[in-house]
Amino acid sequence: GVRVTREPGGTTLGSSLRTLLLQVRNPPIVSTAELLLYAADRAQHIEEVIEPALGAGLAVLCDRYIDATLAYQGFGRGLGIERILALHREPPLSRRPRRTLLLDIPVGEALERARQRNFAHRGGTDEGRFEAETDLFHERVRQGYLKLAALEPLRIRVIDARGSEEAVARRIYSAVADLFPTAGIR
């Protein structure tokens, strides 16, 4: 079986932190506070969701994890990756994924998709804070992700996210098929 989850927001605490982190606010959350809120969410998430699922023999599919923190806070906000890695050296934050899929798409296309998604799912919570950032910020994040992928090409697989959902899904299946050899994923 598979346990599907996300960061931030995979726990009750995480849902509250997600609201804090993704709302547009003035003054904005300072970068160090933002980093520590993401780390707090991840610590709770690992203990409450990820470790129990792995202990039960489940695969965990998590929408965002440490690589997102490295890309957004390390590269995008300019905090640097060493500071983030130092924070993640001790358990439970030392838990790493076996595989990370980087769905790569040019910044303009990615922002348009995100804005359409946010508009379609607009509810009581505004999650547009990152979409409101400059294109330069998003390009730093994208380039950061690509640098991380170049450092760990066996773990981080870059998937071209352009094209139809079916075409992207086929690329994703190819990138994880070796992890699920008996599942018949094609």
Side-chain angles (χ1 to χ4, degrees), residues 40-86:
D41 171 67
R42 182 162 301 122
Q44 184 73 25
H45 192 225
I46 291 168
E47 296 281 350
E48 188 177 323
V49 176
I50 295 173
E51 290 297 346
L54 293 172
L58 299 174
V60 176
L61 175 61
C62 186
D63 181 0
R64 306 205 187 251
Y65 198 67
I66 187 173
D67 297 305
T69 305
L70 293 166
Y72 279 87
Q73 283 69 48
F75 290 98
R77 297 275 185 241
L79 292 178
I81 63 172
E82 187 48 47
R83 183 175 183 185
I84 296 164
L85 291 172

Side-chain angles (χ1 to χ4, degrees), residues 31 83 91 96 127 132 181:
S31 298
R83 183 175 183 185
R96 295 292 183 268
E127 293 194 354

Side-chain angles (χ1 to χ4, degrees), residues 108-180:
E109 290 179 55
L111 288 173
E112 183 57 31
R113 282 188 188 179
R115 290 177 182 130
Q116 287 175 5
R117 178 197 65 228
N118 287 351
F119 182 77
H121 296 95
R122 180 81 57 200
T125 302
D126 178 10
E127 293 194 354
R129 188 167 71 90
F130 281 101
E131 287 80 2
E133 290 284 355
T134 66
D135 287 358
L136 182 60
F137 170 83
H138 288 287
E139 193 57 45
R140 285 194 310 265
V141 170
R142 180 179 186 224
Q143 293 306 315
Y145 268 124
L146 293 171
K147 286 175 186 173
L148 295 171
L151 291 172
E152 291 189 70
L154 296 178
R155 179 178 66 83
I156 303 175
R157 306 291 170 88
V158 180
I159 309 294
D160 182 353
R162 294 171 294 182
S164 69
E165 283 185 36
E166 295 79 19
V168 176
R170 282 193 302 275
R171 293 176 199 132
I172 290 169
Y173 295 148
S174 293
V176 298
D178 63 307
L179 297 175
F180 306 99

Side-chain angles (χ1 to χ4, degrees), residues 5-23 29 34-46 49-50 62-66 68-69 72-73 125 127 129-130 145:
T5 188
R6 71 178 182 175
E7 287 190 2
T11 64
T12 302
L13 174 65
S15 292
S16 297
L17 291 172
R18 183 179 187 87
T19 300
L20 286 172
L21 284 161
L22 299 183
Q23 282 182 334
I29 297 173
E34 181 183 68
L35 168 62
L36 295 172
L37 287 169
Y38 276 110
D41 171 67
R42 182 162 301 122
Q44 184 73 25
H45 192 225
I46 291 168
V49 176
I50 295 173
C62 186
D63 181 0
R64 306 205 187 251
Y65 198 67
I66 187 173
T69 305
Y72 279 87
Q73 283 69 48
T125 302
E127 293 194 354
R129 188 167 71 90
F130 281 101
Y145 268 124

